[in-house]
Amino acid sequence: MSQESAGEPTIDLDGLFTEFDAGSLRLRNRFAMAPMTRVKSPGGVPNSENIEYYREHAAGGVGLIITEGTYVRGPAAGPLSGVPRFYGQDSAAGWRAVAEAVHAEGAAIVPQLWHTGVDRGNEPEFEPETPSVSPSGIDHAGAPVGRALTAEDLDTLVASYVESAVLARQLGFDGIEIHGAHGYLLDQFFWDATNHRTDDYGVTPRRRAALPARVVAAVREAVGPDFPIIYRYSQWKGVDYKARIAATPGELEELLTPLVDAGVDIFHTSLRRHWLPEFTEYAEDLSLAGWTKKITGRPVITVGSVGVDSVFRGDRIDETQADRFRFLNDQFDRGEFDVVALGRALLADPEWVNKVRDQRLSEITPFR
């Protein structure tokens, strides 16, 4: 997979075009489409536009599609009615058609199950009569928003994730991803800024991980041992790019070990820049993905500005971009990750993976 002509640099990503297996999940290559919120499902129901969107990206060559975030039943899962839901007959019919279209193009697909928690705010457009819920009824700055989850609420919440996961299996999806990143509900339990609980779900890292682990364990029991569970998490939040749930590898281990024990098969570490080391004070120059794999022993999906030359803008592949690809390839060769997810690069060009595979680099439409 290398080319050095017409001013284009050498790029070798052969390892990422090998197959990947994890339990019953079979991928034709190591590229995934990252979940990206679209708010284009009127009434929460995937329609023909959604079906074509996912089909087109499957045809573009990725091995795995992770859908945009889809609301679980609740309580108070999110603020917008145009976000697709993963419950109810109408939404189920739409998602079945999406899965069939993706499979017809040779890719695997998992839904991302999402609850926004306090991020839903005090004035949601979807289900405005229901107050927002979160671990402690506060946002990251300590301001009151909605109310804190009760013990009964937690039972309902866990059941909502189970309902959606079981539906995914019934509809023929290849697994699920649980969204525990970016400051949304499950991440709000991880994060001490939003979790001020003093019960079994707060205070220490392991107790802050108890509710996410309970969700995973309940899903695992419901879907059986061979249905893949991906768990996405992050240090950064949508409201605070510098936030950290773990300041050391030891703290990270305290958070992730309960999820491993509960049944997570794959971790999806959400990074803003895949090439940056996570804990700079340690000799091991590993990204968060690399630390995750070292700590858990589980396969890992990495992500973070792959295929774009800066945080906000892409361009044709030049030597700077090629250096990033070489570093990505080095990370893969070192075993820091197993699958790489792309977001903005695929928004700009659904054929990105096929073009890289075929070395049609000058034909790639850059993200701007």
Side-chain angles (χ1 to χ4, degrees), residues 13 40 65 81 104-105 119 129-130 154 165-166 174-175 178 191 235 266 278 286 291 299 316 332 334 336 344 360:
L13 296 176
K40 290 189 175 182
I65 285 179
S81 60
E105 298 291 350
D119 194 69
E129 70 285 353
T130 304
L154 294 178
V166 169
D174 300 286
I178 296 173
W191 194 20
Q235 293 267 42
I266 301 170
E278 185 57 39
L286 297 174
W291 278 108
R316 74 182 298 279
F332 177 72
R334 293 196 301 265
E336 286 195 39
R344 289 166 290 165
R360 293 182 286 132

Side-chain angles (χ1 to χ4, degrees), residues 44-163:
V45 178
N47 57 22
S48 59
E49 190 274 343
N50 303 151
I51 296 167
E52 176 57 22
Y53 169 78
Y54 286 113
R55 187 209 64 76
E56 179 183 32
H57 283 85
V62 296
L64 173 66
I65 285 179
I66 306 169
T67 74
E68 63 205 279
T70 68
Y71 291 159
V72 296
R73 191 179 291 274
L80 300 171
S81 60
V83 169
R85 296 158 218 168
F86 217 87
Y87 59 88
Q89 277 190 329
D90 291 343
S91 292
W95 281 120
R96 185 187 296 277
V98 168
E100 290 173 350
V102 167
H103 287 153
E105 298 291 350
I109 183 169
V110 300
Q112 186 188 71
L113 307 184
W114 189 27
H115 192 302
T116 63
V118 73
D119 194 69
R120 180 173 177 265
N122 281 320
E123 297 181 349
E125 173 256 323
F126 177 49
E127 298 180 336
E129 70 285 353
T130 304
S132 295
V133 294
S134 63
S136 303
I138 58 171
D139 66 14
H140 70 289
V145 177
R147 62 178 179 81
L149 287 155
T150 66
E152 183 179 356
D153 291 330
L154 294 178
D155 292 343
T156 302
L157 179 69
V158 171
S160 292
Y161 280 97
V162 168
E163 176 189 15

Side-chain angles (χ1 to χ4, degrees), residues 18-312:
T18 58
E19 295 180 355
F20 172 74
D21 297 343
S24 63
L25 184 65
R26 303 282 187 272
L27 306 184
R28 60 188 174 188
N29 59 46
R30 308 299 184 107
F31 292 98
M33 178 178 173
M36 293 174 281
T37 298
R38 307 183 67 234
V39 199
K40 290 189 175 182
S41 299
V45 178
N47 57 22
S48 59
E49 190 274 343
N50 303 151
I51 296 167
E52 176 57 22
Y53 169 78
Y54 286 113
R55 187 209 64 76
E56 179 183 32
H57 283 85
V62 296
L64 173 66
I65 285 179
I66 306 169
T67 74
E68 63 205 279
T70 68
Y71 291 159
V72 296
R73 191 179 291 274
L80 300 171
S81 60
V83 169
R85 296 158 218 168
F86 217 87
Y87 59 88
Q89 277 190 329
D90 291 343
S91 292
W95 281 120
R96 185 187 296 277
V98 168
E100 290 173 350
V102 167
H103 287 153
E105 298 291 350
I109 183 169
V110 300
Q112 186 188 71
L113 307 184
W114 189 27
H115 192 302
T116 63
V118 73
D119 194 69
R120 180 173 177 265
N122 281 320
E123 297 181 349
E125 173 256 323
F126 177 49
E127 298 180 336
E129 70 285 353
T130 304
S132 295
V133 294
S134 63
S136 303
I138 58 171
D139 66 14
H140 70 289
V145 177
R147 62 178 179 81
L149 287 155
T150 66
E152 183 179 356
D153 291 330
L154 294 178
D155 292 343
T156 302
L157 179 69
V158 171
S160 292
Y161 280 97
V162 168
E163 176 189 15
S164 293
V166 169
L167 178 61
R169 182 156 200 167
Q170 292 172 345
L171 296 179
F173 280 75
D174 300 286
I176 61 160
E177 175 168 287
I178 296 173
H179 196 346
H182 305 166
Y184 296 121
L185 181 65
L186 296 182
D187 196 23
Q188 288 157 26
F189 276 88
F190 265 15
W191 194 20
D192 57 9
T194 47
N195 185 347
H196 291 189
R197 298 176 77 104
T198 57
D199 60 5
D200 292 341
Y201 299 102
V203 182
T204 67
R206 188 170 286 269
R207 282 163 60 178
R208 292 201 302 271
L211 192 276
R214 181 180 165 191
V215 169
V216 171
V219 167
R220 172 58 69 213
E221 182 177 7
V223 299
D226 61 341
F227 193 63
I229 298 174
I230 304 169
Y231 194 92
R232 193 180 209 205
Y233 84 96
S234 66
Q235 293 267 42
W236 67 275
K237 318 302 171 198
V239 294
D240 185 353
Y241 287 161
K242 295 181 180 180
R244 305 186 87 186
I245 55 174
T248 67
E251 289 183 3
L252 187 63
E253 184 172 5
E254 287 290 298
L255 289 167
L256 298 184
T257 297
L259 298 178
V260 173
D261 294 342
V264 168
D265 296 292
I266 301 170
F267 283 96
H268 185 178
T269 55
S270 182
L271 309 169
R272 297 185 68 231
R273 299 171 181 84
H274 72 86
W275 58 88
L276 294 181
E278 185 57 39
F279 301 109
T280 55
E281 61 273 33
Y282 288 80
E284 293 170 285
D285 193 23
L286 297 174
S287 66
L288 185 63
W291 278 108
T292 300
K293 191 164 184 181
K294 178 181 176 66
I295 287 168
T296 68
R298 293 289 193 265
V300 171
I301 302 171
T302 194
V303 70
S305 299
V306 177
V308 295
D309 70 347
S310 70
V311 177
F312 300 111

